Amino acid sequence: MKLTVVGTGYVGLVSGVCFADLGNEVICVDIDAAKIEGLKQGVMPIYERDLEEMSIRNHAAGRLSFTTDIAQGVREADVIFIAVGTPSLPGGQADLSQVETVARDIGRYINGYKIVVNNSTVPVGSQKLVKRIIRENMTEEVPFDVVSKPEFLREGSAVFDTMNADRIVIGSDSEKAAEIMTELHKPLSAPIMITSPESAEMIKYASNAFLATKISFINEIANICEQVGANVSEVARGMGMDQRISDKFLSAGLGFGGACFPKDTCALVEIARQAGCEMKTVKSAIEVNKKQRLKPVAYLEEKFESLQGIRVAIWGLAFKPNTDDMREAPSIDIIEALKQLGAEIQVYDPVAMDVAKKILDGVTFTDSPVKCAKDAQAVILVTEWQEFFSLDYLRIKSAMLAPYILYDGRNLLAKHNLVQVGFDYQGVGR
Ligand code: NAD
């Protein structure tokens, strides 16, 4: 099929590349001219496993093209995906301005039957909103359908998730559009669920809020474990063996971050409020998460009379491993809090350093875990990059200064071994 994806970020670019790899003709459109120019040259704007190779290969094969020309994108496609950002407004609700702009552009340039797919995470009612905007901006009367297709890929494994989706949810009020969308997604061999647009929109928020709540739940259990002498890793394993619970999203740590959970939980609270309901569980999950991020700071405050001039190493800046995305990363809050207390911060991340340099100031950037730990009295492991698992910890300790605090914010390391080496080791809930 002929597809256009508008917005070449984590979702749009990965979807575009994957659809091209499945044999479709895909045009990726973005307003960011530098991004589009880079993509034409094979330079990826984000880090995602396999993305570069697949993008370059499909581009060379003529199945994948990049442009800033939305008119071309709209005119040449049978199906147009909207995959632009929907960030939080100050009140927590989703900012739909980017989606609205694209809908206006689609209206302006539409020249025959098309399916417009809301792939961005949008509040309930957005399918109708996009439909109305397209119709209001049309210059010629043509039929079209708008469907909602929530995106479930995870950063860090986005290509794999797209190619091996658990399910495809298509919210459609048109049988024809549902059939074409089913056809398009058939090669993925994932179960396809057709729902109303409203249900599809709600499935996305409910799924993300549920997972976020699960994380906050286990983090609260971890905090109790610390007080009563239980080990949250054992508790989570024991809980996770119950198939009704499952072991996914049951790792205690410094909480969730990224471009989705923080904003989607806030948006759901707001959707609920506007519907005259109160989403108490999710509100609590958000509150727990904010506090959880600062646990290592509270720990260091207990250990030192003052953090003024204390050198602290931050290992891992991305909000999770295998991505360079730092949006809503816990590392940012931790670093800001430590800076306010007068600590000197050294940072390291295997992949996110370029992104971090644009966001963080007043910190020392280093290019290895050892250099990051140099002369630090404390290391805080914030992102569970595999690299941190297999380090020479004797070397790390000799680079550091006493009291050799190692705060393992993701319970990645074996406490016993580190204590033997001479670290003052602290995990979360164990
Ligand atoms: P992103 O910020 O990485 O990418 C959005 C892109 O849209 C940017 O490149 C931007 O330049 C472009 N853009 C903005 N306005 C435009 C316009 N008028 N025309 C063309 N391009 C335009 O965002 P993302 O992380 O890919 O998220 C996109 C949507 O998907 C959001 O609603 C998000 O909640 C949802 N989502 C994201 C993820 C994720 O893991 N990142 C997962 C599932 C769903």
Side-chain angles (χ1 to χ4, degrees):
M1 288 188 200
K2 291 190 172 187
L3 314 178
T4 284
V5 182
V6 187
T8 55
Y10 284 88
V11 167
L13 181 58
V14 171
S15 304
V17 167
C18 288
F19 275 126
D21 209 53
L22 293 170
N24 300 285
E25 267 180 52
V26 182
I27 302 174
C28 287
V29 180
D30 206 288
I31 43 168
D32 186 335
K35 207 181 244 192
I36 291 298
E37 219 26 65
L39 282 162
K40 285 181 185 168
Q41 312 297 326
V43 180
M44 298 300 108
I46 52 165
Y47 172 80
E48 230 12 276
R49 250 184 254 155
D50 300 330
L51 187 65
E52 186 175 294
E53 182 276 322
M54 282 168 74
S55 176
I56 292 171
R57 181 162 44 77
N58 283 287
H59 183 52
R63 280 189 298 270
L64 180 63
S65 60
F66 303 100
T67 181
T68 52
D69 185 356
I70 181 103
Q72 180 208 348
V74 173
R75 290 193 185 115
E76 292 184 12
D78 304 320
V79 181
I80 303 160
F81 284 77
I82 304 178
V84 293
T86 49
S88 284
L89 285 169
Q93 63 273 53
D95 176 358
L96 293 180
S97 57
Q98 296 179 31
V99 173
E100 289 165 0
T101 303
V102 178
R104 273 193 295 275
D105 285 339
I106 294 174
R108 229 166 266 152
Y109 302 117
I110 194 166
N111 57 345
Y113 178 76
K114 321 254 173 208
I115 298 173
V116 177
V117 184
N118 257 354
N119 200 199
S120 298
T121 301
V122 285
V124 181
S126 299
Q127 179 259 4
K128 285 199 170 65
L129 173 78
V130 167
K131 218 179 204 179
R132 183 167 54 75
I133 296 175
I134 295 175
R135 194 166 293 127
E136 282 171 0
N137 286 276
M138 270 179 165
T139 49
E140 56 176 307
E141 197 58 42
V142 287
F144 69 97
D145 283 307
V146 179
V147 306
S148 167
K149 193 215 144 191
E151 184 54 64
F152 300 107
L153 64 76
R154 295 164 300 173
E155 284 178 28
S157 53
V159 171
F160 177 87
D161 289 351
T162 304
M163 293 306 214
N164 302 274
D166 286 341
R167 81 294 207 193
I168 309 286
V169 175
I170 295 163
S172 178
D173 52 13
S174 145
E175 244 175 66
K176 178 177 173 183
E179 266 170 35
I180 296 173
M181 289 297 284
T182 303
E183 202 52 39
L184 174 64
H185 289 89
K186 243 185 205 156
L188 292 173
S189 17
I192 296 175
M193 183 185 180
I194 309 291
T195 68
S196 69
E198 290 76 13
S199 296
E201 289 160 347
M202 195 61 180
I203 284 168
K204 175 63 192 174
Y205 280 109
S207 302
N208 272 5
F210 184 82
L211 294 172
T213 305
K214 201 171 172 190
I215 293 171
S216 280
F217 179 85
I218 198 65
N219 281 337
E220 282 203 294
I221 294 291
N223 297 343
I224 304 169
C225 285
E226 269 175 30
Q227 299 307 318
V228 300
N231 179 337
V232 75
S233 301
E234 289 174 358
V235 173
R237 202 162 55 241
M239 287 171 65
M241 285 163 86
D242 184 330
Q243 287 181 16
R244 294 169 303 176
I245 298 173
S246 112
D247 59 355
K248 307 282 190 311
F249 285 78
L250 222 46
S251 301
L254 300 180
F256 56 81
C260 292
F261 285 5
K263 89 173 164 62
D264 293 350
T265 45
C266 290
L268 182 57
V269 167
E270 195 48 31
I271 290 169
R273 193 189 62 76
Q274 285 175 14
C277 307
E278 198 188 356
M279 196 78 219
K280 284 188 187 168
T281 45
V282 177
K283 269 189 189 169
S284 303
I286 296 168
E287 205 183 304
V288 168
N289 195 57
K290 278 192 189 136
K291 221 170 140 201
Q292 193 72 11
R293 291 177 168 198
L294 297 178
K295 264 178 84 80
V297 180
Y299 183 76
L300 294 189
E301 278 188 286
E302 264 176 35
K303 288 276 171 177
F304 296 95
E305 241 167 59
S306 155
L307 287 177
Q308 195 67 41
I310 299 289
R311 202 166 282 190
V312 180
I314 305 290
W315 281 359
L317 299 168
F319 87 92
K320 68 172 181 178
N322 304 319
T323 177
D324 60 355
D325 196 348
M326 283 196 58
R327 290 178 286 185
E328 285 284 336
S331 63
I332 299 172
D333 286 3
I334 295 167
I335 289 167
E336 280 314 312
L338 287 171
K339 264 170 44 184
Q340 296 238 330
L341 293 165
E344 286 175 23
I345 318 287
Q346 304 183 150
V347 302
Y348 168 74
D349 188 285
V351 168
M353 294 303 268
D354 288 344
V355 177
K357 283 177 186 166
K358 291 180 197 146
I359 298 172
L360 301 173
D361 55 16
V363 302
T364 306
F365 295 95
T366 67
D367 60 10
S368 77
V370 182
K371 286 185 193 158
C372 185
K374 179 106 179 64
D375 297 334
Q377 286 173 272
V379 169
I380 306 174
L381 191 161
V382 182
T383 316
E384 64 274 39
W385 286 99
Q386 204 51 37
E387 174 178 350
F388 300 136
F389 188 71
S390 46
L391 291 174
D392 175 352
Y393 276 93
L394 261 176
R395 212 174 141 215
I396 299 290
K397 185 173 163 255
S398 39
M400 289 175 68
L401 299 177
Y404 313 110
I405 293 170
L406 180 42
Y407 193 98
D408 181 359
R410 299 294 174 182
N411 290 342
L412 179 75
L413 309 170
K415 176 178 180 172
H416 178 73
N417 298 347
L418 292 156
V419 171
Q420 263 190 347
V421 172
F423 281 100
D424 174 347
Y425 175 91
Q426 178 64 46
V428 178
R430 55 177 207 171

